[in-house]
Amino acid sequence: MSASPAAPASAHAPAPKTNPRSRVVVASLIGTSIEFYDFYVYATAAVLVFPTLFFPNEDPTASQLSSFVTFALAFFARPVGSVIFGHFGDRIGRKTTLVASLLVMGTATFLIGCLPTFDSIGIWAPVLLAVMRFAQGVGLGGEWSGAALLATENAPKGKRGVFGSMPQLGAPIGFLLANGLFIAINAAMPAGADGTPNPEFQAWGWRLPFLLSAVLVLVGLYVRFRLVESTVFRGVQESGTVAKVPLGRVFRTSWKALIVGTFGMVATYVLFYFMTTFTLSYGTTGSTASALVPKVGLGYSRGEFLTLLMIGVVFFGIFTPIAGILADKFGRRKTLIPTTIGIALFGLTFQFWFAASTGPITVVTFLIVGLSLMGLTFGPMGALLPELFPTNVRYTGSAIAYNVASILGASLAPTIALALWKPDGNIFLVGLYLTIAAVVTLVALLFIRETRGSDFGDTGAARAGVPADAAASDGHVHTSGSLAP
């Protein structure tokens, strides 16, 4: 009796598992929300409480500077994190790496809320604060890129722009969560009439935002543990083209993409920190100079200006996914180039609009315009940066570009803005600095080839104009990225 012919293996092969779209959106959004929540919480604490609680033996100015040094540590730790998590993200997969980066970032944030102060353990208090801040930066270095890849590598056809904008929504959401929480805490523990901090806030109130971040982390971990690896990366694993050393490969084969990707993000970072950190400083500085505060600002209370700023941030949140939709419909370059020109022109209006403000309506309009531009430039980056790199170095490449841009655009921006802010309140040069950053980004964008509709599962050879069979001699693809010739 003859055996029945065997059915083709493909007939009974189970369909590869994919991630539900809702899970992709939540998993990519939650990590970046924690990232920006952490930034605002730490920045606020670095001004309000860390100088006196962790650096009390120095004069007030030195204490404040020491506190800002710990704040800046995270920016220099982020490229370290991008290399570490990029390596594992390109070697073993996106899912495991995303869980690890969130654990590192979330644990460090939570532990800052548990740290003893200088009065309890002396010099070890600022040392531990610096260690935790560095650990935060390392975790953050791998977070954004993993979230962007999670969103874009799982996106439906023709929707990478809008899916890539989902991690970007973490910026406005984190701002609203952090500052809304601080407003509530300040209302419950108000400062004295002379500005003296509330004793309860100094003792334990400042810890609450750090401790409450654990709730976001647990939600993020729950969602991310339920993910499956993207089919794009599984294709790399099955084809045997996983890069052995992603860092070396990305510098060797995609160095042009690293350069234009980094400078393509500079204006975004400068605008972001000017519209949040600088405007808050300028808005809450007194309208007349004094020996204590030698610079002139708008003279709003912190609560008043934060309320205006939060209105502007709502428009940041609205225009971020709108930019993703536009990038899918018209292309990344056709969305970003006009936006960057708008940022350059907006920078020239700082003195004539913001500094010459006659009331809250003018201020909030300025903030709405600036933060709407922020949404339009930030939204498409979640798709553009990953699209510049082939799959086997995509995590490493996009992470390095994003985080080096943060050093160039973000870590220097507050210091430069403070130096360019004239004692009489003139901030034309501050805006001019933003205009120059926009011109730099515009040049970089002109060197980037349109990536909308590119094959995200390809090896990168086609995008570089190299035949697939000649692209590599060792089983791995060599590409210079998605650049104009």
Side-chain angles (χ1 to χ4, degrees):
M1 184 170 153
S2 61
S4 300
S10 59
H12 298 289
K17 292 183 179 180
T18 58
N19 294 299
R21 295 180 185 180
S22 59
R23 191 177 301 166
V24 169
V25 169
V26 174
S28 61
L29 176 61
I30 191 93
T32 51
S33 296
I34 297 171
E35 171 186 351
F36 286 96
Y37 172 90
D38 156 68
F39 165 77
Y40 295 119
V41 165
Y42 197 99
T44 303
V47 172
L48 297 180
V49 295
F50 286 169
T52 55
L53 295 182
F54 289 89
F55 307 96
N57 286 354
E58 304 175 17
D59 66 71
T61 301
S63 294
Q64 188 68 76
L65 288 173
S66 297
S67 181
F68 282 149
V69 167
T70 65
F71 175 71
L73 269 177
F75 289 107
F76 295 95
R78 285 170 71 152
V80 176
S82 67
V83 171
I84 295 172
F85 288 106
H87 176 85
F88 291 106
D90 285 326
R91 287 282 296 161
I92 65 176
R94 309 338 188 184
K95 173 186 173 178
T96 303
T97 307
L98 270 169
V99 169
S101 67
L102 184 57
L103 270 174
V104 170
M105 180 175 65
T107 301
T109 302
F110 180 81
L111 289 178
I112 288 175
C114 302
L115 287 179
T117 61
F118 190 93
D119 288 343
S120 300
I121 60 171
I123 191 63
W124 285 106
V127 169
L128 289 174
L129 179 65
V131 170
M132 291 299 103
R133 183 60 178 163
F134 190 87
Q136 277 184 324
V138 171
L140 292 171
E143 175 57 41
W144 178 85
S145 183
L149 265 60
L150 169 66
T152 53
E153 289 185 346
N154 288 280
K157 185 177 180 180
K159 298 292 184 181
R160 279 206 306 265
V162 70
F163 267 65
S165 70
M166 292 298 103
Q168 314 301 71
L169 272 175
I173 289 174
F175 184 96
L176 293 172
L177 286 175
N179 286 290
L181 183 57
F182 264 112
I183 288 174
I185 292 173
N186 285 336
M189 306 174 187
D194 59 351
T196 305
N198 186 292
E200 290 184 325
F201 180 79
Q202 291 285 100
W204 58 269
W206 67 271
R207 300 180 184 273
L208 293 177
F210 293 98
L211 299 177
L212 289 174
S213 68
V215 177
L216 291 173
V217 172
L218 290 174
V219 173
L221 289 174
Y222 171 75
V223 176
R224 288 182 175 183
F225 271 120
R226 300 179 67 200
L227 294 170
V228 296
E229 191 57 74
S230 72
T231 55
V232 173
F233 185 73
R234 289 203 302 266
V236 171
Q237 291 176 312
E238 292 164 3
S239 65
T241 55
V242 173
K244 292 182 178 179
V245 184
L247 179 63
R249 182 164 301 283
V250 78
F251 274 104
R252 187 166 62 253
T253 65
S254 299
W255 59 271
K256 292 180 181 178
L258 284 173
I259 292 173
V260 295
T262 298
F263 285 100
M265 276 288 295
V266 167
T268 303
Y269 268 113
V270 174
L271 177 63
F272 177 73
Y273 286 93
F274 275 11
M275 292 310 301
T276 55
T277 304
F278 173 74
T279 59
L280 182 59
S281 297
Y282 189 84
T284 56
T285 298
S287 56
T288 56
S290 66
L292 187 62
V293 183
K295 292 181 183 288
V296 170
L298 299 181
Y300 286 87
S301 71
R302 185 178 182 85
E304 289 171 339
F305 197 86
L306 267 179
T307 301
L308 299 177
L309 192 52
M310 289 175 76
I311 294 172
V313 168
V314 170
F315 286 83
F316 178 10
I318 291 171
F319 277 91
T320 296
I322 287 176
I325 294 170
L326 293 174
D328 279 333
K329 184 173 183 179
F330 300 107
R332 285 48 164 150
R333 295 173 85 250
K334 288 183 179 179
T335 301
L336 287 168
I337 288 174
T339 299
T340 305
I341 293 172
I343 292 170
L345 296 175
F346 178 69
L348 298 177
T349 71
F350 270 39
Q351 176 62 27
F352 309 105
W353 191 356
F354 188 49
S357 170
T358 57
I361 293 179
T362 308
V363 171
V364 80
T365 304
F366 175 87
L367 295 173
I368 287 172
V369 171
L371 287 162
S372 296
L373 285 169
M374 181 62 209
L376 289 171
T377 185
F378 196 48
M381 290 298 176
L384 176 63
L385 290 186
E387 287 170 343
L388 293 177
F389 301 92
T391 307
N392 62 351
V393 294
R394 183 171 292 141
Y395 204 127
T396 300
S398 58
I400 290 174
Y402 182 83
N403 288 301
V404 173
S406 78
I407 294 178
L408 298 178
S411 64
L412 301 177
T415 303
I416 292 174
L418 190 63
L420 297 178
W421 175 3
K422 299 296 184 182
D424 63 358
N426 190 301
I427 54 172
F428 175 77
L429 293 179
V430 177
L432 183 62
Y433 178 76
L434 174 61
T435 298
I436 293 171
V439 171
V440 170
T441 288
L442 184 61
V443 172
L445 291 173
L446 293 175
F447 279 91
I448 295 176
R449 182 181 298 161
E450 180 55 59
T451 57
R452 180 183 63 145
S454 60
D455 181 4
F456 219 37
D458 73 357
T459 58
R463 282 179 284 148
V466 181
D469 57 359
S473 59
D474 58 357
H476 297 119
V477 174
H478 296 253
T479 177
S480 57
S482 181
L483 307 177

